[in-house]
PDB file of all heavy atoms in Angstrom:
ATOM      1  N   GLU A  31     -33.375  11.481  23.085  1.00  0.00           N
ATOM      2  CA  GLU A  31     -33.579  10.338  23.967  1.00  0.00           C
ATOM      3  C   GLU A  31     -32.579   9.260  23.679  1.00  0.00           C
ATOM      4  O   GLU A  31     -31.950   8.636  24.599  1.00  0.00           O
ATOM      5  CB  GLU A  31     -34.969   9.821  23.766  1.00  0.00           C
ATOM      6  CG  GLU A  31     -36.028  10.819  24.253  1.00  0.00           C
ATOM      7  CD  GLU A  31     -37.432  10.388  23.867  1.00  0.00           C
ATOM      8  OE1 GLU A  31     -37.581   9.704  22.868  1.00  0.00           O
ATOM      9  OE2 GLU A  31     -38.400  10.786  24.501  1.00  0.00           O
ATOM     10  N   LYS A  34     -29.168  10.087  25.066  1.00  0.00           N
ATOM     11  CA  LYS A  34     -29.056   9.883  26.547  1.00  0.00           C
ATOM     12  C   LYS A  34     -28.883   8.344  26.903  1.00  0.00           C
ATOM     13  O   LYS A  34     -28.107   7.926  27.701  1.00  0.00           O
ATOM     14  CB  LYS A  34     -30.294  10.372  27.281  1.00  0.00           C
ATOM     15  CG  LYS A  34     -30.386  11.871  27.373  1.00  0.00           C
ATOM     16  CD  LYS A  34     -31.620  12.348  28.093  1.00  0.00           C
ATOM     17  CE  LYS A  34     -31.694  13.856  28.187  1.00  0.00           C
ATOM     18  NZ  LYS A  34     -32.941  14.336  28.849  1.00  0.00           N
ATOM     19  N   TYR A  63     -36.858  15.586  12.047  1.00  0.00           N
ATOM     20  CA  TYR A  63     -36.558  14.914  13.234  1.00  0.00           C
ATOM     21  C   TYR A  63     -36.095  13.452  12.937  1.00  0.00           C
ATOM     22  O   TYR A  63     -36.693  12.756  12.131  1.00  0.00           O
ATOM     23  CB  TYR A  63     -37.726  14.895  14.266  1.00  0.00           C
ATOM     24  CG  TYR A  63     -38.003  16.238  14.829  1.00  0.00           C
ATOM     25  CD1 TYR A  63     -39.256  16.488  15.461  1.00  0.00           C
ATOM     26  CD2 TYR A  63     -37.103  17.331  14.693  1.00  0.00           C
ATOM     27  CE1 TYR A  63     -39.589  17.731  16.007  1.00  0.00           C
ATOM     28  CE2 TYR A  63     -37.420  18.543  15.277  1.00  0.00           C
ATOM     29  CZ  TYR A  63     -38.684  18.807  15.859  1.00  0.00           C
ATOM     30  OH  TYR A  63     -38.954  20.012  16.407  1.00  0.00           O
ATOM     31  N   ARG A 104     -10.981 -10.484  10.144  1.00  0.00           N
ATOM     32  CA  ARG A 104      -9.752 -10.914  10.679  1.00  0.00           C
ATOM     33  C   ARG A 104      -8.539 -10.265  10.128  1.00  0.00           C
ATOM     34  O   ARG A 104      -7.545  -9.801  10.796  1.00  0.00           O
ATOM     35  CB  ARG A 104      -9.582 -12.413  10.537  1.00  0.00           C
ATOM     36  CG  ARG A 104      -8.423 -13.010  11.239  1.00  0.00           C
ATOM     37  CD  ARG A 104      -8.198 -14.473  10.956  1.00  0.00           C
ATOM     38  NE  ARG A 104      -9.317 -15.284  11.441  1.00  0.00           N
ATOM     39  CZ  ARG A 104     -10.214 -15.917  10.656  1.00  0.00           C
ATOM     40  NH1 ARG A 104     -10.055 -15.897   9.364  1.00  0.00           N
ATOM     41  NH2 ARG A 104     -11.139 -16.601  11.249  1.00  0.00           N
ATOM     42  N   ALA A 112      -0.768  -4.967  13.699  1.00  0.00           N
ATOM     43  CA  ALA A 112       0.559  -4.657  13.242  1.00  0.00           C
ATOM     44  C   ALA A 112       0.899  -3.237  13.346  1.00  0.00           C
ATOM     45  O   ALA A 112       1.990  -2.791  13.667  1.00  0.00           O
ATOM     46  CB  ALA A 112       0.706  -5.215  11.787  1.00  0.00           C
ATOM     47  N   SER A 120       7.768   2.491  17.975  1.00  0.00           N
ATOM     48  CA  SER A 120       8.238   3.808  17.700  1.00  0.00           C
ATOM     49  C   SER A 120       8.224   4.768  18.893  1.00  0.00           C
ATOM     50  O   SER A 120       9.106   5.469  19.194  1.00  0.00           O
ATOM     51  CB  SER A 120       7.389   4.513  16.582  1.00  0.00           C
ATOM     52  OG  SER A 120       7.674   5.833  16.327  1.00  0.00           O
ATOM     53  N   GLU A 133      18.881  12.624  31.031  1.00  0.00           N
ATOM     54  CA  GLU A 133      20.174  12.252  31.691  1.00  0.00           C
ATOM     55  C   GLU A 133      21.268  13.137  31.269  1.00  0.00           C
ATOM     56  O   GLU A 133      22.109  13.579  32.020  1.00  0.00           O
ATOM     57  CB  GLU A 133      20.505  10.797  31.337  1.00  0.00           C
ATOM     58  CG  GLU A 133      19.589   9.734  32.002  1.00  0.00           C
ATOM     59  CD  GLU A 133      19.851   8.396  31.501  1.00  0.00           C
ATOM     60  OE1 GLU A 133      20.789   8.222  30.692  1.00  0.00           O
ATOM     61  OE2 GLU A 133      19.117   7.454  31.912  1.00  0.00           O
ATOM     62  N   SER A 143      22.762  20.692  25.374  1.00  0.00           N
ATOM     63  CA  SER A 143      23.586  19.850  24.547  1.00  0.00           C
ATOM     64  C   SER A 143      24.206  20.754  23.378  1.00  0.00           C
ATOM     65  O   SER A 143      23.547  21.742  22.983  1.00  0.00           O
ATOM     66  CB  SER A 143      22.769  18.741  23.871  1.00  0.00           C
ATOM     67  OG  SER A 143      23.551  18.073  22.995  1.00  0.00           O
ATOM     68  N   GLU A 146      21.546  19.045  18.695  1.00  0.00           N
ATOM     69  CA  GLU A 146      20.313  18.317  18.941  1.00  0.00           C
ATOM     70  C   GLU A 146      20.260  17.225  17.883  1.00  0.00           C
ATOM     71  O   GLU A 146      20.344  17.530  16.696  1.00  0.00           O
ATOM     72  CB  GLU A 146      19.078  19.261  18.803  1.00  0.00           C
ATOM     73  CG  GLU A 146      19.016  20.346  19.972  1.00  0.00           C
ATOM     74  CD  GLU A 146      18.831  19.762  21.329  1.00  0.00           C
ATOM     75  OE1 GLU A 146      18.381  18.569  21.351  1.00  0.00           O
ATOM     76  OE2 GLU A 146      19.206  20.343  22.272  1.00  0.00           O
ATOM     77  N   MET A 156      16.695  10.915  -6.188  1.00  0.00           N
ATOM     78  CA  MET A 156      17.454  10.865  -7.477  1.00  0.00           C
ATOM     79  C   MET A 156      18.473  11.988  -7.503  1.00  0.00           C
ATOM     80  O   MET A 156      18.113  13.117  -7.236  1.00  0.00           O
ATOM     81  CB  MET A 156      16.520  10.985  -8.699  1.00  0.00           C
ATOM     82  CG  MET A 156      17.229  10.912 -10.056  1.00  0.00           C
ATOM     83  SD  MET A 156      16.186  11.059 -11.467  1.00  0.00           S
ATOM     84  CE  MET A 156      15.321   9.449 -11.366  1.00  0.00           C
ATOM     85  N   ASP A 177      28.024  21.858 -10.579  1.00  0.00           N
ATOM     86  CA  ASP A 177      27.144  22.865 -10.927  1.00  0.00           C
ATOM     87  C   ASP A 177      27.117  23.181 -12.438  1.00  0.00           C
ATOM     88  O   ASP A 177      26.146  23.425 -13.043  1.00  0.00           O
ATOM     89  CB  ASP A 177      27.495  24.205 -10.162  1.00  0.00           C
ATOM     90  CG  ASP A 177      26.976  24.133  -8.721  1.00  0.00           C
ATOM     91  OD1 ASP A 177      26.241  23.193  -8.264  1.00  0.00           O
ATOM     92  OD2 ASP A 177      27.309  25.088  -7.892  1.00  0.00           O
ATOM     93  N   HIS A 191      23.888  20.755  -2.185  1.00  0.00           N
ATOM     94  CA  HIS A 191      25.095  19.840  -2.460  1.00  0.00           C
ATOM     95  C   HIS A 191      25.190  18.890  -1.332  1.00  0.00           C
ATOM     96  O   HIS A 191      25.012  19.249  -0.125  1.00  0.00           O
ATOM     97  CB  HIS A 191      26.329  20.655  -2.536  1.00  0.00           C
ATOM     98  CG  HIS A 191      26.384  21.592  -3.745  1.00  0.00           C
ATOM     99  ND1 HIS A 191      26.004  22.957  -3.595  1.00  0.00           N
ATOM    100  CD2 HIS A 191      26.773  21.471  -5.011  1.00  0.00           C
ATOM    101  CE1 HIS A 191      26.181  23.499  -4.813  1.00  0.00           C
ATOM    102  NE2 HIS A 191      26.626  22.607  -5.682  1.00  0.00           N
ATOM    103  N   LYS A 226      21.925   8.481 -10.256  1.00  0.00           N
ATOM    104  CA  LYS A 226      21.607   7.265  -9.466  1.00  0.00           C
ATOM    105  C   LYS A 226      20.460   7.644  -8.499  1.00  0.00           C
ATOM    106  O   LYS A 226      20.185   8.803  -8.223  1.00  0.00           O
ATOM    107  CB  LYS A 226      22.772   6.795  -8.681  1.00  0.00           C
ATOM    108  CG  LYS A 226      23.331   7.712  -7.648  1.00  0.00           C
ATOM    109  CD  LYS A 226      24.302   7.025  -6.671  1.00  0.00           C
ATOM    110  CE  LYS A 226      25.502   6.473  -7.441  1.00  0.00           C
ATOM    111  NZ  LYS A 226      26.500   5.861  -6.449  1.00  0.00           N
ATOM    112  N   THR A 237      21.845  19.233  12.645  1.00  0.00           N
ATOM    113  CA  THR A 237      22.002  20.434  11.776  1.00  0.00           C
ATOM    114  C   THR A 237      22.911  21.422  12.499  1.00  0.00           C
ATOM    115  O   THR A 237      22.729  21.645  13.721  1.00  0.00           O
ATOM    116  CB  THR A 237      20.573  21.106  11.524  1.00  0.00           C
ATOM    117  OG1 THR A 237      19.722  20.120  10.882  1.00  0.00           O
ATOM    118  CG2 THR A 237      20.728  22.245  10.682  1.00  0.00           C
ATOM    119  N   SER A 240      28.872  24.754   9.089  1.00  0.00           N
ATOM    120  CA  SER A 240      30.199  24.165   8.787  1.00  0.00           C
ATOM    121  C   SER A 240      30.686  24.711   7.447  1.00  0.00           C
ATOM    122  O   SER A 240      29.856  25.250   6.660  1.00  0.00           O
ATOM    123  CB  SER A 240      30.189  22.694   8.837  1.00  0.00           C
ATOM    124  OG  SER A 240      29.476  22.126   7.677  1.00  0.00           O
ATOM    125  N   THR A 286      24.329  23.108   7.461  1.00  0.00           N
ATOM    126  CA  THR A 286      24.656  21.751   7.080  1.00  0.00           C
ATOM    127  C   THR A 286      23.932  20.719   7.932  1.00  0.00           C
ATOM    128  O   THR A 286      23.703  20.898   9.194  1.00  0.00           O
ATOM    129  CB  THR A 286      26.152  21.531   7.347  1.00  0.00           C
ATOM    130  OG1 THR A 286      26.897  22.596   6.698  1.00  0.00           O
ATOM    131  CG2 THR A 286      26.635  20.181   6.795  1.00  0.00           C
TER     132      THR A 286
END
Side-chain angles (χ1 to χ4, degrees):
E31 297 169 331
K34 289 181 181 178
Y63 290 164
R104 184 185 296 113
S120 174
E133 292 174 2
S143 174
E146 295 296 338
M156 182 180 290
D177 284 351
H191 296 94
K226 65 167 59 175
T237 300
S240 73
T286 307

